[in-house]
Amino acid sequence: MSAGSGPPRIAVIPVRSGVLPSGAQETIAEAGGAALLAGSGTAEAAAALAVDAASVATAEIGEPAFGGWAAALAPLLAPYRAILLPASPDGRDLAPRLAAVMDRPLLAGATEYRDDEVRLARYGGLILDHVTADGPVVVTLQPGVRGTEPRTRDLPAPEPAAVKIPDGHDAAVLAVSPPDPGTMDLAESKRIMAGGAGLRGPGDFRLLARVAAAIGASMGATRVVADQGWVAHERYIGTTGVAVDPDLYIALGISGAIQHVTGLGAPRHVVSVNTDPSCPMMAMADLALVTDAPGLLEALARRLGIEPDAGAGEPEPAGARGQEASHG
Amino acid sequence: MAESADVVVAGAGPAGAAAALVAARAGLRVVLVERGPFPGSKNMYGGVIYPRVLDTLLPRWWEEVPVQRWVTRRATMVMTGTKALTVEFRGEDWDAPPYNGATAYRADFDSWLAGKAADAGAELVCSTTVTGLLRDGTGRVTGVRTDRPDGDIRASLVIAGDGVNSFLAKEAGLYEDWSVTHFTVGVKEVLALPREVLEDRFNLTGDEGLDIEILGGTQGIPGGGFLYTNLDTIAVGVVLSLAGLRDSGKRPEDIIAALKDHPAIAPLVRGGELKEYSAHTIPEGGMDGMPHLAADGMLVAGDAAHLCLASGIWLEGVNFAIGSGALAGETAIEAIGSGDTSAAALSGYRRRLENSFVLANHRKLRGAHKLILGKRAQTVYPELACGIAQRVFTVTDPQPKAGLRRWVHDERKRGGVRLRDIVKDGWVGWRTFG
Amino acid sequence: MGVPRYIAAALKWVDLRPEVDPLAGTVRHDTRTSGLSLADAAALEWALRLGESWQLPVAAITAGPPEARAVLRDAAGFGPTRLVHVAADRDAPSDAIARALAPLLAGAAVVCCGDYSADRGSGSVPAFLAHHLQAAQALGLTSLAPEHPGSLVAQRRLDGGRRERLQVSAPAVISVEPGAAQLRRAPLSGLLAAGRAAVETAAADQAPEYGSRVHLLRTTSYRPRPKVLAPPRDQLPRARLLALTGALSERMPPRVVRAAPEQAADQLIGYLTDNGYLG
Ligand SMILES: Cc1cc2nc3c(=O)[nH]c(=O)nc-3n(C[C@H](O)[C@H](O)[C@H](O)COP(=O)(O)OP(=O)(O)OC[C@H]3O[C@@H](n4cnc5c(N)ncnc54)[C@H](O)[C@@H]3O)c2cc1C
Ligand SMILES: Cc1cc2nc3c(=O)[nH]c(=O)nc-3n(C[C@H](O)[C@H](O)[C@H](O)COP(=O)(O)OP(=O)(O)OC[C@H]3O[C@@H](n4cnc5c(N)ncnc54)[C@H](O)[C@@H]3O)c2cc1C
Ligand SMILES: Nc1ncnc2c1ncn2[C@@H]1O[C@H](COP(=O)(O)O)[C@@H](O)[C@H]1O
């Protein structure tokens, strides 16, 4: 192991226009405070760090071009035994390119990094693989699993690194659009009522939206539900979806997969409605109602004086999963 | 442009798979159409298969059929609200070839059987629903329409193995008498238990299995219950007369819940984790509700032809489905060979069924469902039997035992059971099952 | 890179409903519930669309055990596609998979992938492929618009609800979210022909090596890691202690209630009222 020879870990944080990606602070904390911020607006991003940092390097290299970035950053990173990136969209895309250029194994989707053991979430976060590596590695860390200690010291002055992006074939960024105003209510809402695969179809979600509105909440969902087209993709909460931080979170028919709950922030009141009393979402809940979620939704609607619309409660439309047979 | 085949089989349940297997073996071009993503994916039933019917189709089937447990013990439990009397038979030789019955999951069994048909050359098409019949000007069935883009398949013969309430048989006008009284509804829960717990609880070792049929546990609704052991799950369910259920105003899930709470059942299911709940209608069976079995260009097999016994304590259908499917396949070979698939030319199908166990058993058990689902068998006799048993087993010291004759008499009086009825039912029973 | 000759879909054979033992962390697979994930189905659909709009043939490729050929037959249902299977372990690491696939994908204008596989869930195979093919990568796409042959504009989701528009030109590896397209239904004739379609099997020397530098210690069920807590701001030790233990906070003890939907709705309304969410 090369752990003794040279600095053991560094966090590599892709930055866009001064905005840190989700999980940036946690990744730096997990890396023990050494960070390289790469992208555009890195100085501005460095000033926004809220965790203690031992060293901050910046590479002002513009908009992402991951092939080029990996080639350019590799020499800077070679001394480090572990290169940690957040498993945010940009981190996920850069990490394998670094691993390939540097000929290191990639440990993707870690919930914890230690030099002797790394835990990787698999099967949608239902299980953890505990692995160890013989040599240097590249790791992506799931955002939201760790938490961070607040900063206690002044930040070190960022040290700009001279990096030149080699010519290569990468996609070109045309534009970055701000968050969809259609989801701003969700991201900022203090009350969220969300539905998962335990509801039956688009009809249930139309009713859910109205019931949520009646209690002053925004409607959220899980990715499974968005993938089936029952709600707009902008409505799903989680690592790869919208990050929220409400006071009240009501989950209807949601199992509580890691990628979902890590987008939840720290709600003060959690209610979970599920037929399975032992799923993770129920374990998180202050009030765990073991019952049929569609039934409860309808009962709630009646109590709040909401007429179910014609389409509510309709079963899942045939082929809603869009699934072709795999067994011809 | 439509595809064409010699035979299109609708539904890859046991009936359809057996028909496809037989026809494909004879070299016919067979397309087997199944709406589920794989055969058996959506099929529910109680849980016991009596596969001896496979002896001729697939010799040494037991070496590969995917079973959960071999049924080595069969019990019949007669119960009242709080009491139960169980008669159990243990057959040691049921644990060795050729076996008697097995518990199996339909997803496993149906996939296996349809796989045999595919091995024999039938073309299995899944996630595809038959949506209608193709017919010529004379009304003769010439193929099927499916829900796929350019999804028509022309065929010399269509075999409908699409299960109870067969949409194809209906469309071909083969159901005449359509009455709710001919149907029962089955509801079932599958409960998971660790294998050791299950084996300990039911006193099973290795691949031994137990099946319990239950009479009287259905809250007075005509029907019966069952409890079967799989490897690490148990299936508990009830089969209820649809008309009886409707009249009672109760919900089937409440009936199962009550059955699971019965003092004789509760300790058997305790701690089981609910894995699935399902419900399905069943043709009550018997000769009375049977549709016509052939139209011009079409045959009907299995549940689609109501070839199923589901009255109270019997739950047999898979065996009849395989039997009738295989005979439909044979009929297809003959008819296609002779170039005539008119209803008249297909009449050999019924003859074949009559000469086989399929209709022989149905003929024999004709009326059985009336007996079993009648009020006396459902509530009066269980009370009587349990009452007598209780007296037999109760130690009344210091009172002397009254004796069996006295007990029977007292219990009969208490339940208002007339001797005449017992004799009559006994006679019907003897004629039916004897 | 020469003239693009075809569009490829990299399809992974995964168990769509694996049985995961929540206590032991063991996973039971069933081939019957295995097949194309929604994301890979969307990738296949986009491969077909790109093939149509640029008039290029489509190839489908998978690395996996022999049963994995099932996903190629799904693709075969849509007409004349080249079908390639590379032998690989079900659990082979992403970089090994990419190394096995890459030699067979040379000359592809665009390789279409799903964004994440359901089991490994790393989303990294496409990026590794891009490295080996020296192709542009555009991952996690929500929509794409083909332009003239070999060029497309794609949209993808960033974090925090932002979105990005990318200009992508061949050779490229793209990965799409499950919602990016719904796979069309194969015509019956295609499905019947698919059963007879020929699958090429890649030569053994192209199969990946597993001289892995990563060792699996054990597998367990998921248990959340204790989160780091911010120390409370109060200066008094007693106040800090109370805040940390939550001793005096109003958080109610967790309650589990089994009830019919109607009664459960009453419980929920009661809870919301008690906590000041409903008047
Ligand atoms: C790389 C990656 C990233 C991901 N990112 C995200 C993300 O950002 N956000 C996200 O949400 N997911 C994400 N996922 C998916 C995630 O792993 C889970 O699959 C998903 O969150 C599960 O959604 P669900 O709870 O709706 O469905 P399921 O896990 O299927 O759970 C359905 C629940 O409903 C219950 N239920 C069923 N019937 C009823 C009933 N009648 N009444 C009450 N309850 C019922 C069941 O018991 C179960 O608990 C990601 C996955 C991967 C691999
Ligand atoms: C609760 C219950 C318990 C039972 N218990 C037992 C038991 O323990 N033992 C026993 O032997 N029998 C039992 N039976 C009866 C047994 O399940 C049936 O008799 C048997 O399944 C009949 O087989 P089949 O092939 O005729 O029909 P099915 O098994 O119903 O198969 C029909 C097939 O056709 C497919 N299909 C239907 N419509 C279409 C369409 N339009 N296009 C394409 N495909 C279509 C279906 O998906 C299905 O695969 C039970 C039944 C029930 C409901
Ligand atoms: N074994 C494989 N064979 C073919 N394609 C694969 C394989 N593994 C992953 N892919 C592709 O890469 C995508 C992302 O997978 P992963 O990187 O495993 O999350 C999948 O959706 C597939 O399109």
Side-chain angles (χ1 to χ4, degrees):
Chain A
M1 299 224 172
S2 58
S5 61
R9 310 174 188 179
I10 187 166
V12 175
I13 310 295
V15 178
R16 286 177 184 257
S17 311
V19 180
L20 291 165
S22 61
Q25 318 270 9
E26 287 172 294
T27 308
I28 294 171
E30 193 81 344
L36 168 64
L37 309 187
S40 56
T42 49
E44 187 190 333
L49 289 183
V51 288
D52 281 333
S55 66
V56 179
T58 55
E60 193 64 24
I61 47 179
E63 297 310 312
F66 293 114
W69 279 26
L73 298 176
L76 291 180
L77 299 170
Y80 295 91
R81 173 182 153 71
I83 300 167
L84 274 63
L85 295 94
S88 65
D90 285 339
R92 174 221 35 201
D93 292 359
L94 176 57
R97 302 301 296 256
L98 281 172
V101 170
M102 303 179 76
D103 189 27
R104 294 176 173 212
L106 171 69
L107 305 178
T111 63
E112 183 163 6
Y113 175 84
R114 297 203 316 251
D115 288 332
D116 58 348
E117 182 180 314
V118 187
R119 300 189 176 176
L120 307 173
R122 295 285 176 261
Y123 288 95
L126 289 173
I127 62 171
L128 286 179
D129 277 355
H130 303 238
V131 302
T132 183
D134 289 341
V137 291
V138 176
V139 181
T140 60
L141 184 74
Q142 299 266 6
V145 291
R146 184 192 188 278
T148 52
E149 307 82 351
R151 189 153 61 79
T152 58
R153 293 175 269 142
D154 285 343
L155 291 166
E159 297 168 36
V163 176
K164 170 123 178 44
I165 305 291
D167 283 341
H169 183 57
D170 277 303
V173 180
L174 295 173
V176 172
S177 39
D180 187 329
T183 55
M184 288 311 282
D185 71 307
L186 185 58
E188 274 151 26
S189 182
K190 290 288 133 201
R191 301 174 183 189
I192 293 174
M193 195 171 189
L199 296 182
R200 290 166 302 189
D204 279 352
F205 279 87
R206 285 195 292 275
L207 185 59
L208 174 61
R210 300 167 66 206
V211 169
I215 59 169
S218 300
M219 178 182 71
T222 62
R223 181 172 129 165
V224 169
V225 162
D227 286 346
Q228 293 188 348
W230 296 354
V231 296
H233 265 96
E234 287 71 32
R235 289 275 144 197
Y236 87 75
I237 296 169
T239 328
T240 54
V242 188
V244 300
D245 194 11
D247 291 334
L248 170 69
Y249 185 69
I250 305 174
L252 300 178
I254 292 178
S255 64
I258 177 180
Q259 292 95 348
H260 182 73
V261 299
T262 52
L264 277 188
R268 234 150 52 88
H269 297 111
V270 177
V271 181
S272 171
V273 181
N274 203 301
T275 43
D276 172 8
S278 54
C279 68
M281 199 69 233
M282 295 296 258
M284 272 186 63
D286 303 299
L287 177 62
L289 296 169
V290 185
T291 196
D292 178 57
L296 175 128
L297 185 61
E298 282 158 17
L300 216 49
R302 279 192 292 278
R303 279 165 185 64
L304 297 168
I306 298 166
E307 296 287 323
D309 73 33
E314 80 204 356
E316 170 185 339
R321 280 192 170 258
Q323 196 62 56
E324 277 293 318
S326 324
H327 319 271
Chain B
M1 200 195 65
E3 289 287 320
S4 66
D6 294 318
V7 181
V8 175
V9 183
L21 171 65
V22 168
R25 268 192 188 157
L28 297 182
R29 179 166 184 210
V30 180
V31 177
L32 176 57
V33 185
E34 168 58 44
R35 69 178 165 193
F38 61 88
S41 53
K42 298 187 176 155
N43 297 351
M44 79 83 84
Y45 82 135
V48 177
I49 287 174
Y50 301 97
R52 290 300 302 279
V53 56
L54 292 172
D55 283 355
T56 46
L57 280 182
L58 297 162
R60 308 189 76 76
W61 48 269
W62 53 83
E63 289 172 358
E64 44 174 316
V65 63
V67 304
Q68 291 284 312
R69 292 177 177 277
W70 297 108
V71 175
T72 53
R73 285 159 48 204
R74 281 190 80 167
T76 297
M77 187 183 276
V78 185
M79 63 168 58
T80 70
T82 53
K83 299 173 204 165
L85 172 67
T86 307
V87 180
E88 185 182 311
F89 177 80
R90 178 185 200 103
E92 282 310 325
D93 51 352
W94 285 357
D95 196 18
Y99 299 98
N100 174 52
T103 55
Y105 293 138
R106 288 291 296 279
D108 297 336
F109 184 84
D110 290 13
S111 289
W112 172 77
L113 194 60
K116 291 287 158 199
D119 291 347
E123 295 178 75
L124 173 62
V125 185
C126 294
S127 295
T128 306
T129 304
V130 173
T131 54
L133 291 170
L134 305 178
R135 308 220 218 181
D136 67 12
T138 69
R140 178 198 150 74
V141 175
T142 57
V144 297
R145 171 149 293 170
T146 71
D147 65 344
R148 290 258 165 205
D150 39 295
D152 289 358
I153 318 176
R154 307 212 158 271
S156 308
L157 183 69
V158 172
I159 298 178
D162 54 342
V164 64
N165 270 342
S166 164
F167 151 77
L168 293 183
K170 244 179 279 175
E171 193 168 304
L174 297 178
Y175 287 143
E176 253 170 18
D177 168 25
W178 189 252
S179 127
V180 77
T181 56
H182 291 310
F183 290 91
T184 53
V185 58
V187 289
K188 170 177 101 154
E189 287 184 7
V190 177
L191 307 169
L193 282 177
R195 184 172 176 180
E196 316 78 64
V197 174
L198 186 149
E199 290 179 352
D200 213 44
R201 185 174 292 179
F202 291 94
N203 198 8
L204 300 169
T205 48
D207 53 7
E208 293 173 354
L210 165 68
D211 93 25
I212 305 176
E213 271 92 31
I214 302 160
L215 198 57
T218 46
Q219 311 276 297
I221 300 169
F226 58 86
L227 188 158
Y228 300 143
T229 56
N230 295 312
L231 206 56
D232 53 7
T233 63
I234 50 184
V236 197
V238 289
V239 173
L240 306 166
S241 138
L242 209 50
L245 182 66
R246 189 191 49 200
D247 296 345
S248 77
K250 292 189 179 139
R251 300 198 313 180
E253 51 274 32
D254 299 335
I255 313 286
I256 283 210
L259 180 64
K260 288 200 303 177
D261 282 344
H262 190 281
I265 302 294
L268 301 179
V269 299
R270 182 175 302 134
E273 185 200 330
L274 182 62
K275 288 208 19 186
E276 87 186 43
Y277 172 90
S278 48
H280 195 72
T281 43
I282 323 176
E284 186 174 280
M287 305 285 285
D288 301 339
M290 208 173 286
H292 297 291
L293 298 174
D296 286 335
M298 182 166 129
L299 289 175
V300 191
D303 273 11
H306 288 203
L307 291 168
C308 171
L309 279 179
S311 35
I313 58 172
W314 276 281
L315 274 178
E316 287 181 41
V318 172
N319 48 345
F320 293 121
I322 295 172
S324 59
L327 296 176
E330 282 175 24
T331 312
I333 298 166
E334 181 187 78
I336 290 171
S338 72
D340 182 359
T341 53
S342 66
L346 294 170
S347 63
Y349 178 46
R350 180 156 189 126
R351 219 166 30 250
R352 285 185 162 89
L353 288 171
E354 304 262 4
N355 293 335
S356 78
F357 79 102
V358 177
L359 278 186
N361 284 3
H362 275 86
R363 186 168 306 274
K364 183 159 196 75
L365 296 184
R366 177 176 220 157
H369 63 111
K370 290 220 180 69
L371 178 65
I372 297 284
L373 297 182
K375 177 162 166 46
R376 285 193 297 277
Q378 286 289 317
T379 49
V380 180
Y381 294 155
E383 284 286 353
L384 185 64
C386 289
I388 294 168
Q390 182 166 23
R391 291 187 185 230
V392 170
F393 294 127
T394 307
V395 178
T396 53
D397 306 348
Q399 298 291 323
K401 293 190 196 299
L404 189 59
R405 183 190 300 254
R406 176 88 228 151
W407 287 330
V408 172
H409 180 260
D410 286 358
E411 282 298 317
R412 199 158 56 70
K413 278 273 160 339
R414 208 166 61 94
V417 188
R418 289 179 304 181
L419 201 53
R420 197 148 41 92
D421 289 331
I422 299 188
V423 172
K424 196 176 89 196
D425 290 343
W427 172 238
V428 175
W430 172 250
R431 265 202 349 233
T432 308
F433 308 120
Chain C
M1 280 309 304
V3 191
R5 284 174 299 217
Y6 63 97
I7 306 292
L11 306 175
K12 181 173 187 183
W13 181 71
V14 285
D15 193 343
L16 303 170
R17 272 173 283 146
E19 263 190 56
V20 179
D21 182 329
L23 295 177
T26 47
V27 183
R28 260 216 319 242
H29 293 292
D30 188 336
T31 52
R32 291 175 314 220
T33 53
S34 301
L36 280 186
S37 67
L38 282 176
D40 286 25
L44 177 56
E45 175 64 29
W46 269 110
L48 296 168
R49 289 186 194 172
L50 293 178
E52 282 158 6
S53 88
W54 296 342
Q55 309 208 327
L56 290 176
V58 175
I61 183 167
T62 190
E67 300 92 315
R69 291 156 166 262
V71 298
L72 298 179
R73 277 191 286 277
D74 282 0
F78 299 100
T81 34
R82 201 180 135 210
L83 310 174
V84 186
H85 170 239
V86 199
D89 277 0
R90 176 171 215 151
D91 299 323
S94 311
D95 47 351
I97 292 292
R99 256 182 287 125
L101 296 175
L104 298 153
L105 290 169
V110 178
V111 180
C112 301
C113 302
D115 63 344
Y116 292 99
S117 58
D119 44 6
R120 179 167 46 226
S122 70
S124 59
V125 167
F128 280 119
L129 276 177
H131 168 84
H132 291 296
L133 298 171
Q134 294 175 9
Q137 77 182 38
L139 309 186
L141 304 182
T142 53
S143 68
L144 41 164
E147 301 182 317
H148 59 83
S151 165
L152 49 90
V153 171
Q155 173 151 295
R156 73 175 195 132
R157 209 187 301 283
L158 298 176
D159 40 10
R162 292 170 303 159
R163 284 157 183 266
E164 177 182 39
R165 265 191 335 130
L166 293 170
Q167 177 79 51
V168 187
S169 59
V173 179
I174 63 169
S175 78
V176 296
E177 283 196 356
Q182 179 153 344
L183 182 60
R184 60 193 78 179
R185 263 172 90 68
L188 188 72
S189 52
L191 221 56
L192 287 170
R196 302 181 287 267
V199 175
E200 294 167 37
T201 297
D205 64 286
Q206 284 162 323
E209 296 160 37
Y210 300 118
S212 171
R213 295 159 287 181
V214 178
H215 311 283
L216 182 63
L217 299 171
R218 64 188 179 283
T219 296
T220 61
S221 65
Y222 179 74
R223 298 216 175 70
R225 162 182 187 183
K227 271 200 200 181
V228 177
L229 283 180
R233 267 175 235 119
D234 296 271
Q235 292 306 308
L236 290 174
R238 184 186 122 82
R240 279 213 302 271
L241 196 69
L242 285 180
L244 266 182
T245 56
L248 292 184
S249 79
E250 348 155 33
R251 187 161 209 133
M252 299 223 282
R255 219 157 26 107
V256 178
V257 181
R258 288 170 192 271
E262 295 288 337
Q263 285 80 327
D266 292 335
Q267 291 277 343
L268 176 52
I269 296 223
Y271 178 88
L272 295 178
T273 311
D274 290 349
N275 288 291
Y277 293 105
L278 282 181

